Amino acid sequence: MTGSRTSVRSRAWSFLRARARVLLLLAGWSLLESAQTFLSGYGVARALDSGFLAGRTDTGLWWLAAAAGAIVVSGLATRQVFRGLADLVEPLRDGLVRSVVTRAVTRSLDDSGRAADSAAVSQLTNQTEMARDSFAGLVLVARSFVFTAVGALVGLASLDTQLLLIVLPPLVAGLALFLATLAPMAARQEAFLRADEALSARFGTIASGVRDVVACGSQGAVAGDTHRMIDAEADAARSLARWAAVRTLALGIAGQLPIGLLLLCAPWLLDRGLSTGSLLGALTYLTQALLPALHTLMNALGAAGTRLLVVLRRLTDDTPPGHASIVGRSVAPAAGGQERPVGKVEVTGLTFAYGPEAAPVLCDLHLTIEAGEHWAVVGPSGIGKSTLTALIAGVLTPDRGRITVGGCEASLATGEDPSLRRVLIPQQAYVFTGTLRENLLYLCARGAPAEAVRASVQAVGLGPLARRIGGLDAPLDPASLSQGERQLIALGRAHLSPAPLVLLDEATCHLDPAAEAQVEGAFAQRFGTLIVVAHRISSARRADRILLLDGIHATQGSHQELLAASALYQDLVGRWHASHL
């Protein structure tokens, strides 16, 4: 999180530096606000001491008129501030919208469905507007407080420096307490936004699969999970409210305590030569300038400020949620000493059926695939091969049993970005409009070096396609591509991704045998674990181990072992050979 905060600060400074002229204009107009604040208290003090109490009514009225005139001038300056504010706020919103849309497009979901893209709805419609409004309010409030405080403190010093000894200590103490609450409030705000995104993603998933939910009789389970997510968001909101109470205490110390101390010390100050007008002027500064400015500032920073920091970090951070918790938890050295996440797959007592009354597709399956192994899954059509890959990928949830990938639960409900642990490529490859490079970097949240992109292009045989369309950065029209070309792009994307586990669900079915051999050879040389739903006998023979599904039963072994032990496997091999005669 520290790195992301640094990134936000760096981008914020760049954004503000690029608009230095706008900031200078805002500061210039705001100086008039300082002058008005100064005259509000100083004018009252002089009107009493030099005017009404001295028997010079005209002088007193003149000072009051000067203070009133300063209010009118300050109002005109505030009008100019609002006009210039758009030059700061609208570019910020436009940039955030472009960032969210770009990321949502490049990480669009394939048909097998990660629900993460639904969270982009919350980011685009809710969080970008939240950032825009929070930033606008924060600029106005921070500017107003700074220039109001300057005018008030200069005025207090002009009346009597003893006043600063009474006002400054509680003011500084209250501000310090308030600043100490900003970090925990930001953490609570981020928890609330995560809960909001998760709930938005949940509703998107339910809306797109409501008929499947009803068909499988899962209404109760889906409703229960959704209610728990609603409760989690409510808990986050309550925690945020508790910290707002601490902010109220800080406001009392910084804004109300100086007034009480000034009244308590009034006899002592008057005995030491403070004039009645100066005392009333000091009270005017505190009640009419500093206290309202403090109240507005603390409300803005405590709510809009922390909200803005969190939203900006989430909208501009290229690291998907869960990345930091995955990297470094299950790693092992790869070639050259580079660390890679471990792709070990463990399946224990796995049972799954499509509906409560349906026969199990998989029943009490136990399976261990060591990191770095190459497995093939074979069996008759409809036997559950694609179902198994979807379960390992976390797209489906087991009825019973447990699946872990690299020691972590495979289920998408963990909240972590699943693309950091595994890549699932189905038969129908997903390709979006953009450049070839953008399609290949689809699963690389932090990008990838140009040489790594070129290596993956070469490895899976994308070179001819890249040359035909005009290079990696040429526009790509998905409608103009064949099914085989789409699969090659999706395979290149998987090869380039950082995921330690790759699942190919007949992802080479539109390639010829030579292209398929090149692709599977490339993945066999790649770091991590490979699971292939075999489309041809050649795929099975290239694997280290083969999993044969036969309804309720499952058998493991090498090609030769299964030929010797399984009549079903012998039959499958015979059919594969016959289909290529």
Side-chain angles (χ1 to χ4, degrees), residues 476-501:
L476 189 66
D477 178 15
S480 68
L481 301 175
S482 68
Q483 291 285 356
E485 289 171 333
R486 286 169 174 261
Q487 283 192 333
L488 277 180
I489 293 173
L491 290 163
R493 176 190 301 151
H495 190 273
L496 184 61
S497 83
L501 171 63

Side-chain angles (χ1 to χ4, degrees), residues 562-578:
L562 291 179
L563 274 178
S566 171
L568 174 60
Y569 188 72
Q570 295 170 10
D571 182 55
L572 287 174
V573 172
R575 286 190 223 165
W576 275 327
H577 282 305

Side-chain angles (χ1 to χ4, degrees), residues 176-190:
L177 175 61
F178 170 72
L179 292 175
T181 68
L182 291 181
M185 284 191 71
R188 301 311 186 276
Q189 185 70 58
E190 183 158 18

Side-chain angles (χ1 to χ4, degrees), residues 124-155:
L124 185 62
T125 60
N126 184 26
Q127 296 184 31
T128 54
E129 290 303 319
M130 189 186 298
R132 174 185 179 275
D133 294 343
S134 298
F135 180 61
L138 198 59
V139 169
L140 288 175
V141 169
R143 172 204 61 84
S144 177
F145 174 77
V146 168
F147 289 97
T148 297
V150 168
L153 293 176
V154 170

Side-chain angles (χ1 to χ4, degrees), residues 445-469:
R446 292 185 171 180
E451 57 270 21
V453 177
R454 288 193 295 269
S456 291
V457 167
Q458 182 67 27
V460 302
L462 266 173
L465 174 60
R467 288 189 291 272
R468 178 170 66 80
I469 66 173

Side-chain angles (χ1 to χ4, degrees), residues 21 30 116 139 165 175 194 238 250 276 304 381 436 448 477 505 530 546 553 574:
R21 180 176 175 275
S30 299
V139 169
L165 298 177
L175 284 173
R194 287 187 181 277
R238 284 191 288 269
T276 303
S381 178
L436 179 56
D477 178 15
D505 183 7
L530 176 63
I546 300 171
H553 304 99

